[in-house]
Amino acid sequence: MCGIVGYVGKEKAKTRIIDGLKRLEYRGYDSAGIALATGEGIEVRKRVGGIEKLEEIITDAGFDGEMGIGHTRWATHGAPSDINAHPHLNEKGDIAVVHNGIIENYLELREWLADEKNITFRSETDSEVIAHLIGACYEGDIYEAVRKATKKMRGAYAICVMAAAEPDKLIAVRKDAPLVVGCGDGCNFVASDIPALLPYTKEVYLLENNETVVLTPDDVCIYDDGGNRVTRDVFHVTWDVDAAEKEGYEHFMLKEIHEQPKGLWETLTRRLDENGDIKLDGISMTGEDIRNFDKIYIVACGTAYHAGLVGKYIIEKYAGITVEVDIASEFRYRYPLVDERTLFIAISQSGETTDTLEALREAKRKGARVLSVVNVVGSSVARESDDVFYTWAGPEIAVASTKAYTTQLMCMYLLGLYMGKQTGVLEEKKYREIIEELKTIPDMLTEILEKENDIKGIARRFYRREKVFFIGRGTDSAVSYEGSLKLKEISYINSFAIAAGELKHGTIALVEPGVLFIAMCTQDRLYEKMVSNVQEIIARSGEIFAVAKEGGEEIKKHADNTFYIPRCSDDVAPILSVVPLQLFAYYVSVMRGNDADKPRNLAKSVTVE
Ligand code: M6R
């Protein structure tokens, strides 16, 4: 979850590292630090708080060098503090390390280092162990020392290491945590994610698991687990730096909400051929494979899991194949019935979520065919899948996922339609109609965004509420889960989602004055039932903010506020109805004085279990 950056070259390292860290702050932001090879050894500055806090203590021009490493932390072992912040040094202070991940056997290693090597630990972190371990293995060659030390480490890690005695050599290792190398002119970089590199280079190497890279100003050497030199093609990044900037929006989240029409159009049209048919270019799954599947598992976490809930409705309805949707951290530890006739669909924006990745590996071991729906090209989930269906959302920086979700939904429709055609469950006419309707989604979404101020007004009315329930039926219940997650993660309001029909089985006991219900009423076939559920809440003095389709006049008579989305079929409504919920969560968060992009306790990419 943490962000790491390393630079070695002929220019000043400090600004480049800080610049990179700012672009990785979405990965973790409770403390930050930097170590530089200053010519007189290694000097470390680190501080609890965001990068701006770190910047306050590194202003002196004398603190600089041509090689350095930086870190932005999401705490796992030890609270956020100056001492626990990275980089960590070995006992002599001549080796510095930054780490993303968890060292599972750190207690054992810590004990060994304390007993056998007389090491005194300064922090409570697992990461400090790495610095001492490398120090204990160091005999003048930092690459060899890192190789020896990593052989003793268990867990997930991306590390970047430097030694004072070798001031033009950075070593980085990747094991179950992301790491990319950026190739500059007379300089090289290493970082947890591509946005950190974009101002300086678009030429990158994507490292594989268990690879070690040695970077000097003019060279990049990649080695496999056995120490053999590996050749790797350069990957050319196609986004430009603006894609990872706010471009005048107050927050990345707001910018990303507004980027949805574009992302949806890209995701759709890249999968349509000149006859308007869905094409699965680059995907090896055949029609026969699809007809042979007797079960589909969709497995994901958080928002991506909510996209899977809609995917279930769509694929079961269009393709007639049973779909189970599971939370990745649960799937891994139960006994799912997976075999060669199972299609396992992993959904992940980052493609690095540990729970999803491990669930995928488990399904693969059991013989399932794996298709992933991923936003980050070349990510671990993408690389370990048999086939990848990319979302074309562009980089998503805000912790709260928005455009990744709607583009994941678009992929669910496209997959459902394609499979429905192959299984013969979906009639040609219906198939064509839905594709035509999907083409209108970006414009309908733009219409919703044009009414942003209405949502802002509704947020102003309700932002002080402390209890909020989201209710809906059918796909509206899936969207309710997403709306509730969005609200709670950035506003810290106690919010909860439930299928509207379930209310009367217990939760209705919680209705009282001051409790807000956000009622999703976009499913024509279930509309009247929703109106009844809303009346039951009003009868118990609850407040209602309803989301309905244009023309749904009845609900307006009962709700305190109603927001209308354009008229569309029930099937595609989720892709539109979530947008007012995203905007509502965003404005409530801002009105409550929170940082919508960096909610407390969270990080964008969850690479721990
Ligand atoms: O990168 P992934 O899509 O695998 O991430 C899954 C979840 O961690 C993510 O969706 C999380 O729930 C977001 N903060 C939701 O906004």
Side-chain angles (χ1 to χ4, degrees), residues 253 299-306 347-357 373-376 381 396 398-402 404-405 408 482 485-486 489-490 599 602-606:
M253 181 177 176
V299 178
C301 305
T303 287
Y305 166 74
H306 298 150
I347 308 180
S348 176
Q349 186 284 130
S350 62
E352 300 294 348
T353 303
T354 299
D355 287 324
T356 308
L357 190 57
V373 175
V374 175
N375 195 39
V376 178
V381 169
E396 191 181 67
V399 167
S401 184
T402 53
Y405 174 74
Q408 284 160 357
E482 174 56 10
L485 175 64
K486 216 81 312 165
E489 72 178 322
I490 57 173
L602 293 174
K604 181 71 179 163
S605 177
V606 185

